[in-house]
Amino acid sequence: MNVRALLISAIASGQGKTTVTAALARRLVRAGRRVRVFKVGADFIDPMMLERACGAPVNVLDLWMVGTEACRRLLAQAAAAADVILIEGAMGLYDGDPSAADLARAFGIPVLAVLDVSAMAQTVGAVALGLRDFGPVLLAGVIANGIAGPRHAEMVESALCRIRLLGSMPRQPSPLPERHLGLVLPAEVGDLDRRIDALADGLILHDGAWSMVPTVDFPALDPPHADPHSVRLDGRVVAIARDAAFAFMYPANIECLHGLGAAVCWFSPLADEPVPDAADAVILPGGYPELHGEKLSRAARFHASIRRAHARCVPMLAECGGMMVLTDSIVDLEGRTWPMAGLLAGTTHMQTRLAALGPQEWDTGAGVLRGHAFHHSVFTTALRGVGHTNTHPGRTPGETIFRSGSLTASYFHAYFPSCPAAVAALLGGPAQTA
């Protein structure tokens, strides 16, 4: 299946990749194109924003965490349903191991470079040439972000020489709002669709620019064969916390649970909803509990229900923010202490600097799960871990894995499809009644 595809990257974070990807996706959707969008690397928030822009779920692609063949399958599925595939890169084009450039080369995808030219003019030519030739990659063209006016645009275009300037964006008075882990969650931005439409309107595409983008062939693949002997979750109900405090869950993780035969239901700790009585297992994903400390500390029904489920030995997996809400308390950046559910003895302290960032993997004993860590807090506890993750590629000790009864908790965010059998083993312990 031949579709137009672009990997949208830059020299670094903060150049406007998400802004341009969202604007381009919305422009193409409004023009009647069937658009599918992906995000390179471990990320939760950018895919939510891009899903709003294109109207379809956004999965992550990563040659290490997701795997080359799984990436190939996701791209083939997208090509079967779309006219256009857009892939937003992570950090800079060549950053990481593997990098966005590695992914582009693996599947023959041309690169669109987003360059913030607000503080440069002719030097953009040197930057674009460096991005093209260092790898090298097939550079389809450049979007110049932060154009000050017509004269600035002329200087930028003239400096690019044989590299196409496919389009430009003026300086934006109201960029997408951000906070310490990235963009603000889409559900919290009341005028988000208006902002994305404004970005789409502001994106200036040169005449015929889109026709210059080469097509890429993504051959159709047979569906993967399930291992009939693997551990499964048939007939089990997995309850997952989901609200503004617990929103960091890969769409592929939900698909993986369904593929294992589980039924998924949702509850909101922020709304003081209890763990559903029907739950055979519970997942508390990451998110922003530190921004909702007061409300979560008063969620008495949620606290009581999670303690009851734990007493019944219901298997629980808590990741990052999900672990934080199960500690004794969270101390926020203002120094306020908020009591939490108390299943893990210790206190979570927020800090302004990053505590961990990067890909990691965890040998669960039932298989190796790949994923990542990204947090600004530290957990102070006398508890001893039962193991730890390993960083990639250095294989140094990463996040500590804590276990208390049926609860497994860590700062580690797992990508479930990397080892479904490990997920099933973590969540598939026998449900018991009190």
Side-chain angles (χ1 to χ4, degrees), residues 80-429:
D83 308 310
V84 177
I85 294 175
L86 303 178
I87 306 167
E88 184 197 340
M91 300 187 295
L93 178 59
Y94 296 101
D95 294 331
D97 181 14
S99 66
D102 291 327
L103 188 132
R105 287 193 293 265
F107 302 110
I109 301 169
V111 172
L112 173 64
V114 177
L115 299 181
D116 183 352
V117 299
S118 58
M120 73 170 81
Q122 288 87 347
T123 303
V124 70
V127 174
L129 286 171
L131 283 176
R132 184 191 69 184
D133 297 342
F134 180 78
V137 294
L138 172 61
L139 188 62
V142 168
I143 294 284
N145 189 24
I147 289 289
R151 177 58 185 147
H152 188 198
E154 290 173 8
M155 288 189 288
V156 167
E157 185 167 17
S158 65
L160 287 172
C161 302
R162 294 180 298 279
I163 296 174
R164 296 187 183 99
L165 181 65
L166 295 183
S168 60
M169 288 196 75
R171 294 177 183 172
Q172 299 297 318
S174 57
L176 300 174
E178 300 184 55
R179 60 163 70 110
H180 60 282
L181 292 182
L183 296 173
V184 172
L185 295 179
E188 299 177 56
V189 186
D191 63 343
L192 180 59
D193 282 309
R194 181 197 62 79
R195 291 189 187 218
I196 295 175
D197 278 331
L199 293 173
D201 293 339
L203 177 61
I204 301 167
L205 294 178
H206 287 203
D207 290 341
W210 193 245
S211 64
M212 299 176 189
V213 176
T215 60
V216 181
D217 183 31
F218 298 104
L221 301 174
D222 293 330
H225 295 291
D227 179 359
H229 304 292
S230 64
V231 179
R232 291 181 54 80
L233 296 172
D234 292 315
R236 302 185 69 80
V237 176
V238 179
I240 304 177
R242 182 171 67 176
D243 54 34
F246 306 99
F248 294 174
M249 175 70 84
Y250 295 115
N253 284 11
I254 308 303
E255 295 171 13
C256 179
L257 292 172
H258 288 150
L260 286 167
V264 172
C265 65
W266 310 92
F267 69 102
S268 169
L270 264 185
D272 199 13
E273 294 177 356
V275 175
D277 291 336
D280 298 309
V282 177
I283 297 176
L284 293 166
Y288 287 113
E290 67 273 16
L291 300 180
H292 306 277
E294 182 176 7
K295 200 167 184 179
L296 287 170
S297 70
R298 296 201 305 258
R301 288 204 307 161
F302 161 66
H303 288 182
S305 72
I306 199 76
R307 290 173 188 144
R308 285 196 304 270
H310 186 250
R312 296 199 314 270
C313 297
V314 174
M316 298 180 186
L317 178 63
E319 296 185 342
C320 200
M323 179 180 74
M324 292 165 63
V325 79
L326 299 184
T327 65
D328 288 333
S329 59
I330 294 174
V331 180
D332 65 21
L333 288 175
E334 287 71 43
R336 297 171 297 189
T337 299
W338 304 110
M340 292 292 140
L343 297 185
L344 292 169
T347 299
T348 305
H349 295 264
M350 293 302 302
Q351 59 185 30
T352 55
R353 68 183 183 278
L354 267 173
L357 170 65
Q360 300 188 12
E361 64 181 11
W362 172 31
D363 187 346
T364 67
V368 177
L369 275 169
R370 291 182 172 182
H372 78 286
F374 181 27
H375 56 100
H376 281 76
S377 69
V378 293
F379 179 36
T380 304
T381 181
L383 295 174
R384 295 177 65 106
V386 296
H388 58 77
T389 62
N390 287 311
T391 62
H392 173 81
R395 295 199 57 77
T396 57
E399 300 297 342
T400 302
I401 308 296
F402 297 99
R403 188 159 287 138
S404 173
S406 61
L407 167 64
T408 303
S410 175
Y411 276 115
F412 175 68
H413 295 276
Y415 183 76
F416 289 1
S418 65
C419 189
V423 175
L426 286 167
L427 300 178

